[in-house]
Amino acid sequence: MTLLKHELKQGFKTLAIWTASIGFLIAICLFLFPEMKGEMDNVSDMFSSMGSFTAAFGMDRLNFGTLIGFYAVECGNILGLGGAFFASLIAVSALAKEEKERTAEFLLSHPVSRVSVISSKLAALVVQIVVMNVVIFALSAACIAVIGEEPAWKEICLLHLAYFLLQLELAGVCFGLSAFLRRGSLGIGLGIAAMMYFLNIIANISEKAEFLKVITPFGYAEGADIVSNGSLDGKLVLIGMAFALIGVAAAYFWYSRKDIH
Amino acid sequence: MDAIKTTGLTKYYGKARGIIDLNLCVPEGEFFGFIGPNGAGKSTTIRTLLGLISPSGGSGEIFGMNMVKDRQKILDCVGYLPSEAVFYQDMRVRDVLKLSAGLRKKDCREEAARLCERLELDTSRKVDELSFGNRKKVAIVCALQHRPRLLVLDEPTSGLDPLMQREFFSILRERNQEGATVFLSSHVLSEIQRNCRRAAIIREGRLIACDSVEALSKTNAKRVTVHGELDIEKLPGVRDIQPLDGGASFLFGGDINALVNKLAACRLTDLSVAEPDLEEIFLHYYTEGGETK
């Protein structure tokens, strides 16, 4: 419990900055929506004539003139990408930072088992991700209420659930990597999040690359699919959670045997 | 009971040597010195004993507990002072001390306050702003505040000013008198000679001597200092000749009669024969294979 509290304290600034930044961007976009709605006929025409660019962001299947269509694309890019970066960053440095900043010797010369260190850090990670998502969701809901829209709440909840799962998956995978790393972890975390995002864009553009959806968590967090199906793709979610579990298992396996320098 | 006991303890970092076949025994209640130059394997030994790294071979026990299986129980009664004190950023000294106590599930506030006062440590400062020596003090309080049975100190005095060093050693002696075992790793021989009863010398990963400090210092070699005209270079048993103003100082380990005869033939103004200090013994052990040249 001491360690969990310590981890949360250490990570509070990062959490606050990321939550505030993502929340701020989403709020701005939502406040722009009423103004844009009137001009949406032209905008939709424009977007639908942009070929694969439209497909890349799923805008060929979403109506930009409705709040849910607008929200799925905006949220998909702001919370999807921002949340992915945040989750990857904090996860990939969770274990590695102790050795990078050379605090591992201090921590592990106390009577705490390696397993409890890993568990506390994992718990802190999940708590931070949950807090960020709850705050962002509440903020979005408040903004929607302020601009006086009555959107399809089920779809909005599904979108947020998908981004939450996406962050958990990336966090799990990056946490696993964190156990193996000593330095340079942040770059790897950002790289993984960015790579997954672009894999999904490639999968959207080309039918041949559709299989990439299985690999990238952005596959099941695709706004267009969620809104048009009214549900998440359970199979992709399960595969994603399996990746996360493998990452976590690897962290337990490796970090409890690792030589600490 | 032995506070520390290792049997054939070996650690390789890949192919690089850490320690080889180390058999070390430190009885409980001892004030024990662990001597060796940088890279000899002192820290590797300590880190293996504390479970930070796993051994490649052999085994180790602390108070009869297996260092791998009972790691947590061992760390509960050990206070460790690392050679380099690094803490989490953005924390105040008191928060670091509280975190350390919290990780031990103990309330050490009283003892921490006493130690901070003796070491003149301001607990409201941020650790990042502290000088190297003051950070060391924080590490000392972390290692001592829970009153451990075994103190493992890795080059503890680096960065401390002489007054603080004296205060630190007086705290250690008090703890030792109260029954705590002190394991002091250092390359500062004078502090080992002053404080420790027994010591072990490690060289290139192997233990090359382990005895009372008195016995370690007692070799048949003497430090001879002479002033006057002399020519002793060819005398067997002479080594480490240091020219002095109007004379020389050398270590002599040969036949004392041969030396006296030789000196009798010289015109001397002054002569002194003394026991070599630990520093010289140390150099002696570190000459090729520890053999007398």
Side-chain angles (χ1 to χ4, degrees):
Chain A
M1 207 51 193
T2 309
L3 198 50
L4 175 61
K5 258 196 263 173
H6 169 69
E7 279 294 315
L8 290 176
K9 252 191 225 164
Q10 291 269 305
F12 180 75
K13 255 188 207 165
T14 313
L15 172 66
I17 291 171
W18 279 89
T19 308
S21 310
I22 295 171
F24 180 69
L25 286 172
I26 289 181
I28 286 188
C29 284
L30 282 173
F31 285 126
L32 285 178
F33 177 72
E35 201 180 312
M36 285 172 72
K37 196 162 66 168
E39 302 159 19
M40 267 311 152
D41 291 341
N42 307 337
V43 176
S44 290
D45 282 350
M46 186 183 79
F47 278 143
S48 58
S49 62
M50 278 159 50
S52 52
F53 181 80
T54 322
F57 294 97
M59 291 186 294
D60 49 342
R61 286 167 292 155
L62 284 170
N63 183 355
F64 224 56
T66 63
L67 180 73
I68 189 68
F70 177 80
Y71 196 77
V73 172
E74 288 306 329
C75 232
N77 286 294
I78 299 170
L79 180 56
L81 196 54
F85 277 146
F86 170 71
S88 304
L89 277 182
I90 59 170
V92 84
S93 59
L95 292 164
K97 71 178 175 198
E98 298 284 347
E99 279 179 273
K100 187 182 164 213
E101 288 161 22
R102 300 199 292 177
T103 45
E105 197 173 25
F106 172 82
L107 178 62
L108 294 172
S109 59
H110 285 86
V112 283
S113 68
R114 297 265 180 109
V115 168
S116 76
V117 169
I118 303 168
S119 303
S120 303
K121 283 180 176 280
L122 191 62
L125 209 57
V126 174
V127 169
Q128 282 168 293
I129 292 175
V130 168
V131 167
M132 187 186 86
N133 282 280
V134 168
V135 171
I136 299 273
F137 182 78
L139 189 77
S140 292
C143 291
I144 290 170
V146 169
I147 59 173
E149 287 287 332
E150 258 309 322
W153 283 109
K154 184 191 159 206
E155 274 77 18
I156 293 224
C157 290
L158 278 176
L159 282 171
H160 277 272
L161 175 67
Y163 299 133
F164 174 65
L165 293 173
L166 170 147
Q167 290 160 24
L168 283 186
E169 177 183 340
L170 283 175
V173 172
C174 289
F175 190 68
L177 283 172
S178 184
F180 292 84
L181 295 171
R182 290 214 163 97
R183 56 180 70 89
S185 54
L186 292 184
I188 292 174
L190 283 180
I192 287 179
M195 188 179 77
M196 291 303 173
Y197 180 75
F198 286 114
L199 283 184
N200 184 53
I201 288 183
I202 295 168
N204 278 346
I205 295 171
S206 158
E207 272 179 30
K208 274 186 207 150
E210 194 98 354
F211 69 94
L212 290 174
K213 293 243 174 208
V214 180
I215 300 171
T216 166
F218 287 93
Y220 57 75
E222 179 64 62
D225 294 336
I226 295 170
V227 173
S228 50
N229 298 341
S231 66
L232 299 185
D233 185 332
K235 203 178 81 191
L236 289 183
V237 170
L238 277 181
I239 294 171
M241 292 305 108
F243 280 138
L245 285 178
I246 291 170
V248 170
Y252 274 99
F253 177 81
W254 186 252
Y255 201 74
S256 49
R257 310 175 157 58
K258 189 184 189 186
D259 277 0
I260 302 295
H261 296 297
Chain B
M1 189 195 266
D2 290 329
I4 300 174
K5 187 175 172 59
T6 70
T7 316
L9 194 63
T10 302
K11 173 70 187 176
Y12 276 93
Y13 300 103
K15 276 184 182 168
R17 168 206 45 89
I19 47 174
I20 305 163
D21 196 23
L22 203 71
N23 295 304
L24 186 68
C25 179
V26 180
E28 189 168 7
E30 193 68 82
F31 205 127
F32 194 89
F34 195 43
I35 317 168
N38 300 328
K42 297 192 299 290
S43 294
T44 301
T45 309
I46 291 175
R47 298 165 74 83
T48 314
L49 283 170
L50 299 181
L52 288 167
I53 52 182
S54 48
S56 318
S59 64
E61 285 181 356
I62 289 186
F63 296 121
M65 295 178 277
N66 184 289
M67 68 177 190
V68 178
K69 276 188 235 137
D70 304 317
R71 187 180 152 268
Q72 227 175 314
K73 265 195 273 172
I74 287 174
L75 289 176
D76 207 28
C77 52
V78 171
Y80 170 52
L81 176 61
S83 58
E84 237 177 297
V86 186
F87 301 101
Y88 296 98
Q89 287 175 2
D90 245 7
M91 283 180 86
R92 291 187 190 283
V93 172
R94 68 169 92 88
D95 297 326
V96 171
L97 300 181
K98 201 173 138 200
L99 173 65
S100 176
L103 289 171
R104 297 185 178 280
K105 299 189 177 73
K106 280 177 189 158
D107 182 358
C108 313
R109 276 175 294 183
E110 239 176 83
E111 187 61 24
R114 241 197 318 267
L115 289 165
C116 288
E117 200 185 314
R118 285 183 73 171
L119 295 169
E120 295 166 22
L121 181 64
D122 180 359
T123 58
S124 62
R125 296 277 300 277
K126 286 211 167 174
V127 279
D128 333 57
E129 297 165 0
L130 295 180
S131 67
F132 183 71
N134 277 325
R135 272 211 304 278
K136 196 93 190 188
K137 291 183 195 170
V138 181
I140 291 173
V141 179
C142 283
L144 289 168
Q145 64 173 352
H146 58 289
R147 306 196 72 89
R149 272 170 83 191
L150 170 65
L151 274 162
V152 178
L153 315 163
D154 197 354
E155 294 178 12
T157 49
S158 58
L160 291 183
D161 66 52
L163 283 177
M164 274 307 140
Q165 289 189 18
R166 203 165 63 182
E167 187 61 30
F168 172 63
F169 276 111
S170 88
I171 296 173
L172 289 187
R173 271 193 299 274
E174 285 163 29
R175 290 295 174 88
N176 183 237
Q177 273 155 19
E178 290 162 17
T181 311
V182 181
F183 184 79
L184 171 68
S185 153
S186 178
H187 53 226
V188 183
L189 296 160
S190 54
E191 71 188 24
I192 297 233
Q193 196 162 24
R194 263 201 311 274
N195 296 291
C196 300
R197 274 188 296 272
R198 287 170 62 81
I201 301 180
I202 183 172
R203 174 176 180 269
E204 285 172 17
R206 292 176 195 273
L207 206 66
I208 52 170
C210 181
D211 210 331
S212 70
V213 170
E214 215 171 53
L216 282 174
S217 312
K218 203 174 276 171
T219 60
N220 48 15
K222 306 277 181 212
R223 167 63 60 182
V224 183
T225 311
V226 286
H227 288 268
E229 298 165 14
L230 77 161
D231 169 33
I232 38 88
E233 270 170 44
K234 290 185 193 105
L235 196 67
V238 170
R239 61 195 159 89
D240 189 30
I241 303 176
Q242 293 162 7
L244 298 171
D245 194 18
S249 164
F250 57 89
L251 275 177
F252 184 73
D255 180 4
I256 199 82
N257 294 305
L259 177 68
V260 172
N261 285 337
K262 190 85 183 171
L263 291 176
C266 305
R267 288 186 59 81
L268 301 182
T269 54
D270 191 17
L271 166 69
S272 76
V273 181
E275 294 288 338
D277 60 18
L278 199 54
E279 203 99 19
E280 281 167 329
I281 305 300
F282 184 70
L283 289 173
H284 159 75
Y285 280 110
Y286 279 86
T287 50
E288 214 45 52
E291 289 156 13
T292 316
K293 269 185 193 162

